[in-house]
Amino acid sequence: MSDDEFAEDDGLYDEDGLLKDEGDFRDKSNLINSVHKIFDIKKKGRGAIRHEAVKDVEEFVAVKRRSGPGSSLNKLLESVKQSGEEKTVDKVSKLVKAPSLKSLKTLETPLEKPQALKAKRTVLYENAKRDLSRFNPIVYHNRVADQLVYPLNAGKKALKLSSTERVADSIPMTPLEEEMARVLYGEEYVKQKKAELEKPKGPSDAEAYALSVEEALNMHSEMARLRAQQSYKMAKAKRQNKIKSKKYHRLLRKEKIRKQLKEFEEMQKKDPEGAMLKLEELNKSRVEERMSLKHRNTSKWAKMHAARAKYNKDSRIALSEQLKISKDLTQKVEESDSDDDDLECDIPHLVKSSLDNPWMLRPEVRDSDKLNVYYSGYKKLWEEINEKKDKERKRQEVQTIKNKQHVKKLGDEFQNDNIESEDLLVEDNETDKSGLDPESSAAKSAQERKAEKKKKLRQKQKNNKAKKKIIVPETTTSTTTVVYDNDDPDFTELDLDIMIEEAEDKIKDEAIRKLRKLSKVEKLEKKKSEQQSKRAAKRTKNKSKEMMRGDADEIRDLDVDSAEQLLENVGGETGASLALTSVNGGVGRQINPDKQDTSKVIIDPNNYLKITKKAGGKKAKFDGNGMNKVEFDAFLNNEAASSGEDDDDDDDQRKLIAEAFEDDDVVDEFRLRKEEEIDALKPKDVDLCLPGWGEWGGKGIVPNPKKRKRFLIKAAPLPPRKDAALSHVILNEEVGEKVKEHLVRELPFPFKRVKDYEKTIRAPVGRTWLPEQATKDLVAPRVITRLGAIIEPLDEDVLPKMKGGSLKVPISIKRLARVKKIASK
Amino acid sequence: MSVPEDPLVVSTAVGKHSRGKGLSSNLDVKMGIRKTKILRKEAKIVSGVERAARSEILLVEDSGGIEVDEGEHTLQLKQFDITKKIDIASATKGFHLSLDEFGPYKLRYTNNGRYLVLGGRKGHIAAFDWVTKNLMCEIGVRESVHDVVWLHNENMFAAAQKEWTYIYDNQGIEIHCLKSMDRVINLDFLPYHFLLVGGHQSGYLSWVDVSIGKIVSQFNARSGPVAIMTTNPANAVVHCGHTNGTVSLWAPTVRKSLASILCHGCPLSAVAVDNVGRLMATSGRDGSMRIWDLRNSYTPLLSVKVGISSLLQFSQRGLLAMATSTDAMIFSEVSHKTKPYLKHVANSQISSMQFCPFEDVLGVGTNRGFDSVIVPGAGEPNFDALERNPYQSKGQRCEAEIKGLLEKIQPELITLDNNILGEVDTHAVSSSLDKKPNYVKKKDIQLAHRKKRKNAKLPKIKEGLRTELNLKLAKSEHQTKKREEQSKKTIQMSDDDPLSRFAKKSK
């Protein structure tokens, strides 16, 4: 494109045709001539007269004539004016609207070539950009698309539906299809689809949503406006949220409260009931807030004491007490299973071990050493107080136990009433034992007793609720019957002493009432049978000792089946020894093999109870004092030993084992091992101190501690161990190097956070873990090309067609035009 | 188009298949296109989970169970009572083999639960289809047999004998003699890794890759004979119980135990891990049994005194069998609330026990034979035929073998944490970042979750200042170096060069 063309294109000089022609003046003389021709009046009259035929007719002749109408006319008009005919002058001047001389400005100088080129380039760039940007949405769409199938079908993406979607879209027509749909999506869906089928067809989707371009643009601008407003609002809210000034927030809160108060007052006048409700609500929210853990030590009182705590023992105690109370209050209440209908019997001795297990106790966190120092003083005090309280409690408990024993004595007298029978059997044992050494029993920790008590109570309650007694006639020849007392004692314990005590009282009353009815004869009979059973047990024990040495205590725990077997075996003769051994653990049972014909065997699945009792006792111990680590270790050490000291006198085996492992301090060993492990991994400090450097050296001279400190390079502390809080676990901190080889070692490009990337690779893709369709979706190829098909580049056809010329020009294009203008200047 | 809300997708099922918390839309990725792509993939993952949950409607089989009359308890029921009530086909699954002569029997079912191998201590080995009772082979090895185990399918099994470990085929023909596995007392097989695990009398542990016949690893666990050993089916870690009351966890590529847990204050008598690697049951010589949560913190969930149990076994559906001398006690709902479910009394001391996969059967090996005990509700009722197929044909078996070999998991991937492969080696990332010279601007990578700071911009400001400083330093260093070099040159010219005396002296 030449310079001139360019000028023409952009209409730079096309304002006046006359001026345009100036470019044609090539000859200087010509120019002068023509100027003369225009302005010289004398010459003008002559005009260009063709004298003779020439080959080269001067082209400017005609032009000259036409070119100066304005000036010549002016002259004419002036001459007319002089003659005085003004009207004609006006007329003529009106007729001839020629540009005056003033309007004939001189041209601006054309741009220098490089500038002109630059401007041209800019404009070209803008044009090209505008043209190409029309493709932007399509390109974006294609880049984001899950799958592209080439050749692209004239901009229309092949709509791919998964099988389920296709099924869901189809309307069930045949009965079979209906049935299928019912199974797959439910009745509702079928109804809905049927209704759709019956509904007269309205405008199709395309019609319904057809928008003219104008409407679409309007909508677009409306949406943009809304979005902008939303963003302003958000920005404002963000800004306000970020304000940290307390004063501001205080003001804000006050304002809010004031507003609420006002509203409330209004409400009181208008709708008193609603106001009451609101008041309640407010109260409730306040209570909830107070209940939350936020306010444990923020009250004025607590703050005051906290300030004093450093110097004042009393305030320390008060504070800790307060904390304790809050802890107690906020402790999660364990769910109590009191399903009366639940026939399945839990193993009674199952104890929630989080409390039972000493290892749950966390070792003191090292960071809090300062705190420990800080609190150590009042810890002692607290312990003292605890002890006092314990003593008091013990005294009370001893009294209650005495009372209870009284009840128990009464309880011994009755046998058949199943409400009490089993408890009483248990208690029998206890009383026997306590009879042997009452002091030792008194010395039992108070908590233990309490726990026991609770358990018994629970059992009692349970028994009261579920009065179930099953008599299962045996198929064997013997006429013995098994009475299977089915109950479901549960040992989840509630802390609510009051409730328990109430229940206790009730049960006591009931028991006493019932006991009075019982005769003493029964009691005698029972005693006899018990003695007999014990004798039998001893005998069988002696027999079986050699045979089943290691299994004695296992057998002790058999209940129903072993007893059944026993009965069978008594009938038949096979495996008699085994049967006999199975008796030996039965303490809470009455088994009377001698009286086969009439005796009733009461089998109690609760005869694990004594163990439970013990466990419960321990639990209580843990509970009560928050046993520290040393105590716990002692407990563990004793565990083996104590397991032998059951109420069960026959349990030699257990004792034997306990003795065998008494010396092994397993826990201590383990702790040492762990400490070694930790020490081995600890990074060592580097001491660069050179004793004797810059000071006197020699024997007996201690280097300056300041210097030593200065030259000691402390190793960076390791991150906390994973097993820091688990005293019973040693975890290997080092992950195998060989595994690391398989890990991702560099964060791939678009990601900036490791966590984000890890989330994208968290899910498996294979068929082993996912249904077929899901796998296919996940591993679908990005691009599919049909073999042999020609893939054309995108062209105008893919762009949406605009209707006619009624398009509202978007702002961006307007701006573009403006830019162009500026560039042209 | 509206796909109706799936009435058949159970939210619990979705939870089961869930792969953890997904990406949120505020992920820190610059480009819009990439962000959209990533989020779309996330949506696909979620829909995959939903599909998986939805496909659970295809698992139509229900697990078995016992309903007793009011006032009765399942504990009262004996095998006789159970077999009376069930159909004939199922009733045949409960049987007793009287094998008096060859001592305590070890037993093992194949992974699909179809075949059974018995190994008598006194040298009797028998393999058979226990459902049809077709005998595959029966051999006398004339030395003590300590343990037997099937390899990846029913074509091969390994037997730990007096001296060495042997591998037999289903005909009973000795194929291999693994002399490196000597005096093994405990055997196990990891089907996904093709690893035969042996616990030696000498305290060694060894892993042998049976697909290539190589010892992957063999080392001393340093805590006496490996008498109690089991593998965690979820992560293939070996659990060993010791006399000092601990359970130690071992992987082949790490010579130190991955973890050791103090479980009892006395020697252990048995250890078992459940099917999903969630629970571990241990029993000690003090007669207590404890259940441990393996996933999070190794906390004890339950502690029970039940007598010294010599064996513990979990079933597929989470029942726990416990053997004390002649009795096998089975518990249900093993966790906080464990209930006794059934009890079986064998005619002699129980020496081994295993729940049969996909069957409601507990195999019990005793001193004097084998008992197949029916335990309703023990086995998984629905099986994945591509994974473990009880009704596998020969062709399917071949396919499965090849597929298994192709998908073999490398032994170094045995770790406590199964998800380790989905993690980024942050250490490596940070070290590679550190390696870059100071004058290069560092990538802004967030390695771990950052704590909220008072001034959010502070670290950025610091980083910026640091890089600025570094750049400055680098520049100045460069300049000083240049200067030094120049000065050196001049010095050299003046001092070292012998010809320097001829050079023109600048004034």
Side-chain angles (χ1 to χ4, degrees):
Chain A
M1 208 195 279
S2 81
D3 218 1
D4 297 30
E5 275 170 23
F6 164 61
E8 259 174 27
D9 266 7
D10 288 299
L12 259 179
Y13 300 96
D14 57 354
E15 289 156 34
D16 200 335
L18 187 116
L19 294 175
K20 202 177 175 185
D21 285 349
E22 276 216 351
D24 295 337
F25 289 96
R26 278 163 196 135
D27 205 349
K28 207 180 176 184
S29 57
N30 274 353
L31 176 72
I32 295 161
N33 278 338
S34 61
V35 169
H36 276 286
K37 275 169 197 165
I38 293 166
F39 294 105
D40 198 349
I41 305 158
K42 285 170 193 170
K43 275 182 184 177
K44 197 201 138 200
R46 270 176 258 159
I49 300 156
R50 200 184 284 179
H51 300 285
E52 55 191 80
V54 247
K55 215 176 186 183
D56 295 315
V57 183
E58 209 202 3
E59 50 186 321
F60 300 108
V61 176
V63 176
K64 267 177 257 159
R65 279 201 151 178
R66 275 185 281 124
S67 69
S71 54
S72 58
L73 265 177
N74 282 346
K75 300 268 173 187
L76 281 177
L77 284 175
E78 269 174 32
S79 64
V80 174
K81 270 181 192 172
Q82 283 166 3
S83 65
E85 293 174 38
E86 288 185 11
K87 276 186 184 176
T88 47
V89 176
D90 284 348
K91 272 183 186 174
V92 174
S93 57
K94 264 182 192 172
L95 277 171
V96 187
K97 276 183 180 172
S100 62
L101 264 174
K102 278 177 195 170
S103 68
L104 297 174
K105 278 181 192 167
T106 48
L107 263 185
E108 281 175 37
T109 48
L111 281 174
E112 303 235 336
K113 204 175 178 186
Q115 266 72 26
L117 279 173
K118 197 178 172 187
K120 194 187 80 184
R121 275 201 310 271
T122 321
V123 173
L124 282 176
Y125 168 72
E126 294 292 346
N127 288 348
K129 194 178 167 189
R130 187 190 60 210
D131 288 344
L132 288 177
S133 65
R134 285 150 72 217
F135 288 89
N136 275 355
I138 289 169
V139 171
Y140 177 81
H141 183 265
N142 283 356
R143 287 185 71 182
V144 165
D146 285 336
Q147 192 172 53
L148 284 176
V149 183
Y150 283 108
L152 294 170
N153 223 351
K156 277 178 199 163
K157 198 181 155 235
L159 198 63
K160 258 204 143 185
L161 292 174
S162 70
S163 57
T164 48
E165 284 166 341
R166 235 177 287 152
V167 167
D169 216 21
S170 68
I171 296 170
M173 304 282 268
T174 64
L176 177 67
E177 277 173 355
E178 261 176 39
E179 201 64 31
M180 292 270 287
R182 208 162 283 142
V183 170
L184 284 171
Y185 307 120
E187 185 66 44
E188 286 274 299
Y189 176 74
V190 176
K191 271 183 193 166
Q192 183 197 325
K193 282 285 172 186
K194 269 193 168 178
E196 266 176 41
L197 195 67
E198 283 157 14
K199 207 166 58 182
K201 267 210 165 178
S204 69
D205 273 8
E207 285 164 23
Y209 291 106
L211 283 177
S212 73
V213 176
E214 236 168 284
E215 278 170 331
L217 280 171
N218 277 338
M219 221 157 106
H220 180 80
S221 64
E222 182 67 17
M223 290 294 288
R225 202 174 58 82
L226 280 175
R227 242 177 283 137
Q229 275 177 347
Q230 198 183 359
S231 75
Y232 301 150
K233 280 265 167 65
M234 269 162 74
K236 195 180 175 187
K238 224 177 195 176
R239 209 175 52 239
Q240 277 182 344
N241 271 343
K242 267 196 179 170
I243 293 171
K244 279 185 186 131
S245 153
K246 277 187 179 171
K247 203 172 179 184
Y248 167 78
H249 279 289
R250 207 180 297 140
L251 285 174
L252 203 71
R253 205 173 352 157
K254 275 183 185 168
E255 199 179 335
K256 230 184 228 171
I257 289 168
R258 218 174 292 141
K259 214 177 183 183
Q260 275 179 344
L261 266 177
K262 227 178 202 178
E263 275 176 19
F264 185 69
E265 274 168 20
E266 272 178 29
M267 212 178 181
Q268 262 184 333
K269 281 172 195 167
K270 285 177 191 170
D271 179 19
E273 274 181 30
M276 280 301 287
L277 277 177
K278 188 152 193 204
L279 200 67
E280 256 172 50
E281 217 168 78
L282 282 172
N283 251 337
K284 202 183 166 191
S285 72
R286 197 191 80 81
V287 168
E288 271 173 2
E289 173 64 17
R290 296 306 301 178
M291 265 168 68
S292 70
L293 299 180
K294 280 181 195 170
H295 308 286
R296 258 201 297 206
N297 41 18
T298 52
S299 69
K300 210 173 182 181
W301 176 87
K303 274 180 184 167
M304 204 178 68
H305 276 283
R308 279 183 196 164
K310 203 174 179 185
Y311 310 105
N312 195 350
K313 262 184 189 176
D314 294 336
S315 53
R316 248 175 272 157
I317 293 162
L319 265 181
S320 61
E321 227 165 308
Q322 192 64 19
L323 276 179
K324 178 99 195 303
I325 289 165
S326 91
K327 225 180 220 174
D328 287 344
L329 286 174
T330 50
Q331 218 163 29
K332 202 176 176 187
V333 180
E334 280 185 26
E335 206 185 322
S336 63
D337 286 345
S338 53
D339 297 337
D340 303 352
D341 316 354
D342 194 7
L343 274 169
E344 285 168 301
C345 73
D346 285 14
I347 302 183
H349 54 278
L350 300 190
V351 180
K352 287 259 163 93
S353 57
S354 54
L355 292 163
D356 174 37
N357 197 298
W359 296 310
M360 292 302 291
L361 293 169
R362 296 179 166 213
E364 240 107 54
V365 187
R366 252 160 251 161
D367 294 7
S368 63
D369 277 353
K370 280 183 195 171
L371 259 178
N372 285 343
V373 172
Y374 176 74
Y375 281 115
S376 58
Y378 92 77
K379 246 185 191 171
K380 278 180 198 167
L381 238 172
W382 182 231
E383 275 165 11
E384 279 174 24
I385 290 165
N386 258 354
E387 269 177 46
K388 272 182 196 171
K389 279 185 181 173
D390 280 0
K391 273 177 192 168
E392 273 185 20
R393 234 180 281 160
K394 266 181 197 171
R395 225 187 303 134
Q396 287 175 356
E397 231 112 322
V398 167
Q399 279 183 346
T400 50
I401 285 162
K402 274 176 189 168
N403 294 340
K404 256 194 156 183
Q405 275 173 344
H406 177 69
V407 181
K408 278 170 210 159
K409 272 170 198 164
L410 288 169
D412 285 351
E413 298 172 2
F414 92 113
Q415 183 186 18
N416 286 332
D417 194 331
N418 76 321
I419 296 166
E420 285 291 342
S421 64
E422 142 210 328
D423 300 317
L424 291 168
L425 286 174
V426 173
E427 282 160 3
D428 270 349
N429 294 329
E430 213 173 73
T431 46
D432 285 352
K433 218 192 162 190
S434 62
L436 283 173
D437 51 351
E439 282 116 341
S440 71
S441 72
K444 266 189 183 177
S445 81
Q447 281 92 339
E448 219 173 298
R449 287 207 168 274
K450 216 171 186 184
E452 281 173 28
K453 212 166 69 182
K454 280 178 196 168
K455 262 168 227 166
K456 276 174 216 156
L457 279 168
R458 292 223 135 225
Q459 272 172 286
K460 281 174 191 171
Q461 285 167 322
K462 281 274 155 60
N463 292 350
N464 276 339
K465 282 170 188 167
K467 295 182 181 180
K468 277 157 200 159
K469 192 191 225 175
I470 309 117
I471 298 174
V472 183
E474 277 297 311
T475 48
T476 45
T477 48
S478 69
T479 53
T480 338
T481 54
V482 180
V483 179
Y484 177 64
D485 195 345
N486 188 6
D487 58 352
D488 186 9
D490 199 336
F491 292 97
T492 50
E493 279 163 48
L494 291 168
D495 292 351
L496 306 168
D497 287 7
I498 307 159
M499 270 177 64
I500 289 171
E501 270 164 22
E502 277 175 14
E504 203 175 22
D505 291 342
K506 269 188 193 173
I507 290 158
K508 262 185 206 167
D509 293 346
E510 224 173 340
I512 291 164
R513 193 158 32 83
K514 280 184 179 168
L515 289 174
R516 276 176 193 152
K517 292 175 191 169
L518 294 167
S519 65
K520 284 181 181 177
V521 187
E522 279 174 341
K523 178 188 165 192
L524 280 172
E525 268 181 15
K526 196 204 159 193
K527 272 187 179 169
K528 261 185 197 171
S529 64
E530 245 179 46
Q531 280 170 356
Q532 277 169 338
S533 71
K534 272 190 181 172
R535 246 178 274 145
K538 271 185 184 171
R539 241 184 295 142
T540 50
K541 194 194 103 194
N542 292 334
K543 274 184 195 171
S544 63
K545 219 175 181 180
E546 284 178 7
M547 256 191 80
M548 313 287 263
R549 218 179 165 189
D551 308 317
D553 66 333
E554 295 156 52
I555 288 152
R556 191 185 56 77
D557 294 319
L558 311 185
D559 44 64
V560 181
D561 277 56
S562 57
E564 282 174 4
Q565 205 193 14
L566 160 79
L567 295 167
E568 277 178 17
N569 289 333
V570 169
E573 282 182 16
T574 50
S577 64
L578 191 113
L580 289 170
T581 50
S582 68
V583 188
N584 87 42
V587 173
R589 296 176 206 160
Q590 296 176 295
I591 298 169
N592 209 337
D594 301 345
K595 296 182 179 178
Q596 279 174 26
D597 40 324
T598 51
S599 73
K600 281 184 176 177
V601 185
I602 299 166
I603 295 153
D604 180 15
N606 298 353
N607 77 348
Y608 302 122
L609 194 77
K610 43 200 171 311
I611 305 165
T612 337
K613 249 192 290 172
K614 208 182 72 193
K618 262 173 208 152
K619 180 177 170 182
K621 208 171 164 190
F622 281 112
D623 256 350
N625 293 342
M627 189 159 71
N628 59 24
K629 212 175 170 188
V630 183
E631 274 177 292
F632 138 57
D633 288 347
F635 149 70
L636 248 192
N637 292 338
N638 292 335
E639 200 183 43
S642 62
S643 63
E645 298 162 8
D646 271 340
D647 324 25
D648 208 339
D649 301 42
D650 311 324
D651 223 347
D652 287 349
Q653 195 67 29
R654 193 161 289 213
K655 269 187 181 172
L656 229 160
I657 291 162
E659 276 162 23
F661 297 106
E662 215 167 18
D663 306 333
D664 300 356
D665 194 352
V666 169
V667 181
D668 225 33
E669 216 173 82
F670 188 83
R671 197 200 298 131
L672 282 176
R673 228 177 90 197
K674 185 165 180 180
E675 273 165 15
E676 272 171 27
E677 195 100 343
I678 292 167
D679 285 342
L681 283 177
K682 239 180 204 166
K684 304 276 183 300
D685 293 350
V686 183
D687 192 3
L688 292 176
C689 183
L690 297 170
W693 187 264
E695 60 191 6
W696 286 107
K699 202 181 172 188
I701 284 180
V702 185
N704 188 1
K706 265 189 188 171
K707 222 171 199 184
R708 184 180 270 172
K709 206 177 172 186
R710 210 173 65 191
F711 287 108
L712 190 77
I713 298 172
K714 281 201 170 174
L718 287 173
R721 281 176 71 91
K722 278 179 253 167
D723 55 9
L726 305 165
S727 57
H728 68 293
V729 179
I730 304 173
L731 282 174
N732 192 350
E733 291 282 303
E734 299 146 39
V735 181
E737 284 303 312
K738 284 187 176 171
V739 190
K740 282 193 171 173
E741 282 170 16
H742 294 273
L743 301 187
V744 179
R745 310 180 121 242
E746 262 182 27
L747 198 63
F749 159 58
F751 294 101
K752 283 183 175 178
R753 290 186 211 138
V754 168
K755 278 276 167 310
D756 283 346
Y757 176 63
E758 281 176 354
K759 276 176 184 172
T760 58
I761 57 170
R762 76 186 194 282
V765 179
R767 287 178 173 76
T768 319
W769 297 277
L770 289 174
E772 185 70 18
Q773 192 55 48
T775 305
K776 272 186 180 168
D777 281 355
L778 276 166
V779 300
R782 280 271 292 116
V783 172
I784 294 174
T785 50
R786 226 183 324 122
L787 213 61
I790 298 163
I791 300 167
E792 303 279 0
L794 289 178
D795 59 1
E796 297 265 335
D797 295 342
V798 287
L799 298 174
K801 272 136 206 148
M802 302 284 186
K803 261 189 218 167
S806 66
L807 183 65
K808 201 176 164 187
V809 182
I811 299 165
S812 57
I813 294 171
K814 276 183 188 167
R815 204 176 296 141
L816 204 78
R818 216 180 302 145
V819 166
K820 211 168 81 181
K821 257 185 193 168
I822 290 160
S824 70
K825 273 175 189 170
Chain B
M1 194 201 69
S2 64
V3 178
E5 189 79 2
D6 251 326
L8 301 172
V9 175
V10 191
S11 58
T12 54
V14 174
K16 197 170 87 183
H17 291 275
S18 162
R19 295 287 167 186
K21 209 178 162 194
L23 282 168
S24 53
S25 53
N26 69 349
L27 89 160
D28 193 6
V29 168
K30 268 266 165 72
M31 278 176 74
I33 287 169
R34 286 176 196 279
K35 194 172 175 181
T36 339
K37 273 185 174 175
I38 291 163
L39 289 177
R40 279 201 182 172
K41 202 200 162 191
E42 175 63 32
K44 275 184 186 174
I45 290 170
V46 171
S47 85
V49 167
E50 265 163 28
R51 276 177 204 276
R54 195 167 193 284
S55 69
E56 291 220 331
I57 56 165
L58 300 173
L59 311 178
V60 285
E61 300 291 330
D62 288 331
S63 63
I66 305 176
E67 279 178 20
V68 286
D69 294 338
E70 201 177 321
E72 277 184 44
H73 192 271
T74 47
L75 267 183
Q76 290 168 292
L77 299 172
K78 287 175 291 180
Q79 283 300 300
F80 176 69
D81 303 322
I82 293 170
T83 44
K84 255 200 307 195
K85 295 285 179 190
I86 58 180
D87 59 315
I88 300 167
S90 303
T92 54
K93 284 171 184 165
F95 60 92
H96 168 72
L97 297 179
S98 169
L99 306 160
D100 285 340
E101 288 178 38
F102 294 101
Y105 274 90
K106 292 275 180 180
L107 71 106
R108 211 53 92 96
Y109 290 101
T110 47
N111 278 336
N112 61 10
R114 192 62 199 245
Y115 300 91
L116 177 69
V117 62
L118 293 175
R121 170 61 62 81
K122 289 168 193 147
H124 173 224
I125 295 176
F128 59 103
D129 181 338
W130 70 272
V131 181
T132 59
K133 276 78 168 183
N134 280 340
L135 190 66
M136 292 160 91
C137 68
E138 188 169 23
I139 46 176
V141 292
R142 299 190 173 198
E143 57 179 1
S144 60
V145 173
H146 296 273
D147 206 353
V148 282
V149 68
W150 287 105
L151 300 192
H152 56 282
N153 60 23
E154 65 272 17
N155 278 347
M156 277 183 271
F157 61 86
Q161 293 176 20
K162 188 191 167 203
E163 208 53 50
W164 298 305
T165 304
Y166 293 85
I167 292 179
Y168 299 94
D169 72 353
N170 56 3
Q171 310 277 317
I173 298 163
E174 179 190 320
I175 324 176
H176 295 293
C177 169
L178 304 173
K179 290 204 173 176
S180 57
M181 291 182 83
D182 59 326
R183 293 182 180 275
V184 170
I185 44 177
N186 254 311
L187 273 181
D188 216 330
F189 186 72
L190 304 170
Y192 296 105
H193 303 76
F194 284 84
L195 289 178
L196 183 66
V197 189
H200 297 247
Q201 178 72 43
S202 54
Y204 271 72
L205 284 170
S206 49
W207 286 261
V208 176
D209 191 331
V210 295
S211 65
I212 52 175
K214 265 189 182 172
I215 294 179
V216 167
S217 184
Q218 193 170 44
F219 53 79
N220 198 340
R222 291 166 203 274
S223 34
V226 188
I228 304 159
M229 189 189 88
T230 185
T231 51
N232 182 343
N235 57 11
V237 166
V238 173
H239 291 228
C240 296
H242 304 297
T243 47
N244 61 359
T246 59
V247 171
S248 57
L249 277 55
W250 299 90
T253 47
V254 184
R255 294 228 152 185
K256 239 163 74 181
S257 66
L258 300 176
S260 55
I261 308 152
L262 182 61
C263 293
H264 293 267
C266 61
L268 292 186
S269 61
V271 175
V273 182
D274 83 336
N275 220 30
V276 286
R278 194 164 60 85
L279 301 173
M280 175 171 76
T282 60
S283 69
R285 289 251 159 235
D286 59 348
S288 68
M289 182 186 77
R290 289 195 165 120
I291 309 266
W292 302 82
D293 182 4
L294 275 185
R295 288 180 305 178
N296 301 320
S297 51
Y298 304 98
T299 48
L301 300 174
L302 179 86
S303 185
V304 188
K305 293 261 181 188
V306 280
I308 303 167
S309 56
S310 53
L311 293 161
L312 286 169
Q313 279 285 336
F314 275 100
S315 88
Q316 276 182 320
R317 283 181 47 77
L319 304 189
L320 177 65
M322 184 196 79
T324 51
S325 81
T326 59
D327 313 326
M329 184 79 158
I330 295 145
F331 298 94
S332 65
E333 291 184 37
V334 179
S335 64
H336 289 285
K337 200 177 167 191
T338 304
K339 292 173 178 176
Y341 179 50
L342 281 177
K343 193 165 191 178
H344 172 72
V345 181
N347 59 3
S348 61
Q349 181 97 11
I350 294 174
S351 53
S352 68
M353 230 172 25
Q354 196 196 349
F355 279 101
C356 180
F358 306 109
E359 292 283 359
D360 288 346
V361 162
L362 172 70
V364 178
T366 61
N367 280 352
R368 287 158 63 192
F370 168 78
D371 283 355
S372 185
V373 181
I374 293 174
V375 183
E380 178 62 45
N382 298 293
F383 59 86
D384 182 355
L386 292 173
E387 188 69 16
R388 294 184 191 181
N389 188 357
Y391 308 104
Q392 206 169 35
S393 68
K394 200 175 162 189
Q396 282 170 335
R397 194 177 65 204
C398 294
E399 285 284 325
E401 191 170 18
I402 290 159
K403 205 174 162 230
L405 283 168
L406 288 173
E407 289 180 349
K408 188 177 85 170
I409 304 170
Q410 290 306 310
E412 58 260 31
L413 294 181
I414 299 178
T415 49
L416 271 186
D417 183 11
N418 272 349
N419 293 327
I420 197 161
L421 264 193
E423 283 169 13
V424 173
D425 188 356
T426 48
H427 190 70
V429 172
S430 68
S431 69
S432 78
L433 280 181
D434 289 343
K435 267 177 200 168
K436 281 187 177 167
N438 277 337
Y439 50 80
V440 176
K441 198 192 169 191
K442 271 175 191 167
K443 268 187 202 169
D444 182 24
I445 288 176
Q446 194 175 319
L447 290 173
H449 182 68
R450 278 180 195 154
K451 270 186 188 171
K452 216 176 181 183
R453 283 195 177 81
K454 269 195 175 174
N455 185 357
K457 283 177 185 167
L458 200 64
K460 263 197 172 172
I461 293 166
K462 270 187 183 170
E463 184 60 41
L465 285 174
R466 211 172 289 142
T467 47
E468 218 169 81
L469 192 71
N470 282 332
L471 285 172
K472 253 187 201 169
L473 278 176
K475 241 184 203 172
S476 65
E477 217 169 88
H478 187 67
Q479 282 173 351
T480 49
K481 252 186 194 174
K482 257 188 177 175
R483 228 175 287 150
E484 270 174 26
E485 270 172 23
Q486 277 179 353
S487 62
K488 256 186 194 175
K489 265 181 191 172
T490 53
I491 289 160
Q492 269 184 350
M493 274 298 283
S494 58
D495 294 346
D496 303 342
D497 198 1
L499 296 176
S500 64
R501 59 201 156 113
F502 299 114
K504 273 184 183 175
K505 277 171 191 170
S506 58
K507 281 173 185 177

